[in-house]
PDB file of all heavy atoms in Angstrom:
ATOM      1  N   THR N 327     -11.907   2.651   8.013  1.00 95.00           N
ATOM      2  CA  THR N 327     -11.149   1.824   7.081  1.00 95.00           C
ATOM      3  C   THR N 327     -11.911   0.605   6.645  1.00 95.00           C
ATOM      4  O   THR N 327     -12.618   0.001   7.418  1.00 95.00           O
ATOM      5  CB  THR N 327      -9.844   1.382   7.780  1.00 95.00           C
ATOM      6  OG1 THR N 327      -8.997   2.513   8.052  1.00 95.00           O
ATOM      7  CG2 THR N 327      -9.037   0.442   6.875  1.00 95.00           C
ATOM      8  N   ILE N 328     -11.736   0.270   5.357  1.00 95.00           N
ATOM      9  CA  ILE N 328     -12.246  -0.971   4.799  1.00 95.00           C
ATOM     10  C   ILE N 328     -11.053  -1.760   4.286  1.00 95.00           C
ATOM     11  O   ILE N 328     -10.259  -1.298   3.525  1.00 95.00           O
ATOM     12  CB  ILE N 328     -13.238  -0.750   3.606  1.00 95.00           C
ATOM     13  CG1 ILE N 328     -14.446   0.073   4.102  1.00 95.00           C
ATOM     14  CG2 ILE N 328     -13.699  -2.066   3.034  1.00 95.00           C
ATOM     15  CD1 ILE N 328     -15.429   0.364   2.990  1.00 95.00           C
ATOM     16  N   SER N 329     -10.921  -2.987   4.796  1.00 93.00           N
ATOM     17  CA  SER N 329      -9.821  -3.872   4.394  1.00 93.00           C
ATOM     18  C   SER N 329     -10.410  -5.123   3.759  1.00 93.00           C
ATOM     19  O   SER N 329     -11.138  -5.879   4.396  1.00 93.00           O
ATOM     20  CB  SER N 329      -8.961  -4.239   5.615  1.00 93.00           C
ATOM     21  OG  SER N 329      -7.948  -5.105   5.330  1.00 93.00           O
ATOM     22  N   ASN N 330     -10.046  -5.341   2.484  1.00 91.00           N
ATOM     23  CA  ASN N 330     -10.594  -6.462   1.748  1.00 91.00           C
ATOM     24  C   ASN N 330      -9.571  -7.596   1.637  1.00 91.00           C
ATOM     25  O   ASN N 330      -8.834  -7.732   0.665  1.00 91.00           O
ATOM     26  CB  ASN N 330     -11.044  -6.008   0.337  1.00 91.00           C
ATOM     27  CG  ASN N 330     -11.786  -7.085  -0.430  1.00 91.00           C
ATOM     28  OD1 ASN N 330     -12.048  -8.184   0.139  1.00 91.00           O
ATOM     29  ND2 ASN N 330     -12.130  -6.804  -1.656  1.00 91.00           N
ATOM     30  N   GLY N 331      -9.499  -8.441   2.654  1.00 88.00           N
ATOM     31  CA  GLY N 331      -8.627  -9.583   2.591  1.00 88.00           C
ATOM     32  C   GLY N 331      -9.139 -10.712   1.710  1.00 88.00           C
ATOM     33  O   GLY N 331      -8.376 -11.637   1.434  1.00 88.00           O
ATOM     34  N   GLY N 332     -10.364 -10.569   1.249  1.00 88.00           N
ATOM     35  CA  GLY N 332     -10.923 -11.564   0.376  1.00 88.00           C
ATOM     36  C   GLY N 332     -10.210 -11.664  -0.958  1.00 88.00           C
ATOM     37  O   GLY N 332     -10.196 -12.727  -1.564  1.00 88.00           O
ATOM     38  N   VAL N 333      -9.600 -10.573  -1.414  1.00 86.00           N
ATOM     39  CA  VAL N 333      -8.856 -10.638  -2.658  1.00 86.00           C
ATOM     40  C   VAL N 333      -7.666 -11.580  -2.638  1.00 86.00           C
ATOM     41  O   VAL N 333      -7.166 -12.024  -3.646  1.00 86.00           O
ATOM     42  CB  VAL N 333      -8.382  -9.212  -3.099  1.00 86.00           C
ATOM     43  CG1 VAL N 333      -9.552  -8.297  -3.359  1.00 86.00           C
ATOM     44  CG2 VAL N 333      -7.449  -8.631  -2.063  1.00 86.00           C
ATOM     45  N   PHE N 334      -7.210 -11.867  -1.383  1.00 86.00           N
ATOM     46  CA  PHE N 334      -6.092 -12.817  -1.245  1.00 86.00           C
ATOM     47  C   PHE N 334      -6.595 -14.193  -0.794  1.00 86.00           C
ATOM     48  O   PHE N 334      -5.804 -15.080  -0.529  1.00 86.00           O
ATOM     49  CB  PHE N 334      -5.102 -12.287  -0.200  1.00 86.00           C
ATOM     50  CG  PHE N 334      -4.529 -10.922  -0.550  1.00 86.00           C
ATOM     51  CD1 PHE N 334      -4.922  -9.824   0.146  1.00 86.00           C
ATOM     52  CD2 PHE N 334      -3.696 -10.757  -1.628  1.00 86.00           C
ATOM     53  CE1 PHE N 334      -4.381  -8.549  -0.152  1.00 86.00           C
ATOM     54  CE2 PHE N 334      -3.167  -9.549  -1.999  1.00 86.00           C
ATOM     55  CZ  PHE N 334      -3.532  -8.429  -1.207  1.00 86.00           C
ATOM     56  N   GLY N 335      -7.933 -14.357  -0.712  1.00 90.00           N
ATOM     57  CA  GLY N 335      -8.481 -15.651  -0.349  1.00 90.00           C
ATOM     58  C   GLY N 335      -8.761 -15.841   1.149  1.00 90.00           C
ATOM     59  O   GLY N 335      -9.104 -16.918   1.553  1.00 90.00           O
ATOM     60  N   GLY N 336      -8.691 -14.766   1.932  1.00 90.00           N
ATOM     61  CA  GLY N 336      -8.951 -14.866   3.358  1.00 90.00           C
ATOM     62  C   GLY N 336     -10.400 -15.180   3.647  1.00 90.00           C
ATOM     63  O   GLY N 336     -11.290 -14.521   3.120  1.00 90.00           O
ATOM     64  N   LEU N 337     -10.619 -16.158   4.526  1.00 92.00           N
ATOM     65  CA  LEU N 337     -11.974 -16.574   4.874  1.00 92.00           C
ATOM     66  C   LEU N 337     -12.541 -15.759   6.020  1.00 92.00           C
ATOM     67  O   LEU N 337     -13.729 -15.419   6.051  1.00 92.00           O
ATOM     68  CB  LEU N 337     -12.007 -18.056   5.238  1.00 92.00           C
ATOM     69  CG  LEU N 337     -13.347 -18.634   5.689  1.00 92.00           C
ATOM     70  CD1 LEU N 337     -14.369 -18.562   4.609  1.00 92.00           C
ATOM     71  CD2 LEU N 337     -13.196 -20.097   6.192  1.00 92.00           C
ATOM     72  N   MET N 338     -11.688 -15.489   7.019  1.00 93.00           N
ATOM     73  CA  MET N 338     -12.143 -14.711   8.173  1.00 93.00           C
ATOM     74  C   MET N 338     -10.912 -14.116   8.822  1.00 93.00           C
ATOM     75  O   MET N 338      -9.778 -14.652   8.795  1.00 93.00           O
ATOM     76  CB  MET N 338     -12.864 -15.635   9.181  1.00 93.00           C
ATOM     77  CG  MET N 338     -13.459 -14.891  10.346  1.00 93.00           C
ATOM     78  SD  MET N 338     -14.407 -15.995  11.486  1.00 93.00           S
ATOM     79  CE  MET N 338     -15.778 -16.425  10.405  1.00 93.00           C
ATOM     80  N   SER N 339     -11.047 -12.934   9.461  1.00 93.00           N
ATOM     81  CA  SER N 339      -9.938 -12.274  10.109  1.00 93.00           C
ATOM     82  C   SER N 339     -10.445 -11.350  11.196  1.00 93.00           C
ATOM     83  O   SER N 339     -11.650 -11.067  11.293  1.00 93.00           O
ATOM     84  CB  SER N 339      -9.117 -11.443   9.114  1.00 93.00           C
ATOM     85  OG  SER N 339      -9.869 -10.374   8.605  1.00 93.00           O
ATOM     86  N   THR N 340      -9.567 -10.872  12.058  1.00 94.00           N
ATOM     87  CA  THR N 340      -9.823  -9.824  13.019  1.00 94.00           C
ATOM     88  C   THR N 340      -8.968  -8.632  12.684  1.00 94.00           C
ATOM     89  O   THR N 340      -7.875  -8.474  13.170  1.00 94.00           O
ATOM     90  CB  THR N 340      -9.576 -10.314  14.448  1.00 94.00           C
ATOM     91  OG1 THR N 340      -8.211 -10.767  14.550  1.00 94.00           O
ATOM     92  CG2 THR N 340     -10.484 -11.438  14.835  1.00 94.00           C
ATOM     93  N   PRO N 341      -9.440  -7.769  11.780  1.00 93.00           N
ATOM     94  CA  PRO N 341      -8.631  -6.636  11.346  1.00 93.00           C
ATOM     95  C   PRO N 341      -8.269  -5.683  12.491  1.00 93.00           C
ATOM     96  O   PRO N 341      -9.019  -5.590  13.472  1.00 93.00           O
ATOM     97  CB  PRO N 341      -9.521  -5.922  10.311  1.00 93.00           C
ATOM     98  CG  PRO N 341     -10.899  -6.349  10.636  1.00 93.00           C
ATOM     99  CD  PRO N 341     -10.771  -7.749  11.191  1.00 93.00           C
ATOM    100  N   ILE N 342      -7.147  -5.032  12.353  1.00 92.00           N
ATOM    101  CA  ILE N 342      -6.652  -4.117  13.396  1.00 92.00           C
ATOM    102  C   ILE N 342      -7.016  -2.699  13.030  1.00 92.00           C
ATOM    103  O   ILE N 342      -6.927  -2.242  11.884  1.00 92.00           O
ATOM    104  CB  ILE N 342      -5.118  -4.205  13.538  1.00 92.00           C
ATOM    105  CG1 ILE N 342      -4.714  -5.620  13.949  1.00 92.00           C
ATOM    106  CG2 ILE N 342      -4.600  -3.220  14.542  1.00 92.00           C
ATOM    107  CD1 ILE N 342      -3.237  -5.827  14.144  1.00 92.00           C
ATOM    108  N   ILE N 343      -7.472  -1.918  14.011  1.00 92.00           N
ATOM    109  CA  ILE N 343      -7.888  -0.560  13.826  1.00 92.00           C
ATOM    110  C   ILE N 343      -6.735   0.268  13.373  1.00 92.00           C
ATOM    111  O   ILE N 343      -5.561   0.068  13.775  1.00 92.00           O
ATOM    112  CB  ILE N 343      -8.435  -0.005  15.180  1.00 92.00           C
ATOM    113  CG1 ILE N 343      -9.712  -0.750  15.563  1.00 92.00           C
ATOM    114  CG2 ILE N 343      -8.720   1.517  15.048  1.00 92.00           C
ATOM    115  CD1 ILE N 343     -10.206  -0.355  16.981  1.00 92.00           C
ATOM    116  N   ASN N 344      -7.007   1.237  12.508  1.00 88.00           N
ATOM    117  CA  ASN N 344      -5.994   2.151  12.012  1.00 88.00           C
ATOM    118  C   ASN N 344      -6.132   3.472  12.801  1.00 88.00           C
ATOM    119  O   ASN N 344      -6.971   4.289  12.535  1.00 88.00           O
ATOM    120  CB  ASN N 344      -6.285   2.437  10.513  1.00 88.00           C
ATOM    121  CG  ASN N 344      -5.328   3.420   9.895  1.00 88.00           C
ATOM    122  OD1 ASN N 344      -4.203   3.587  10.357  1.00 88.00           O
ATOM    123  ND2 ASN N 344      -5.740   4.105   8.856  1.00 88.00           N
TER     124      ASN N 344
END
Side-chain angles (χ1 to χ4, degrees):
T327 295
I328 300 178
S329 178
N330 187 4
V333 296
F334 303 109
L337 177 64
M338 186 178 291
S339 68
T340 55
I342 298 180
I343 295 172
N344 180 25

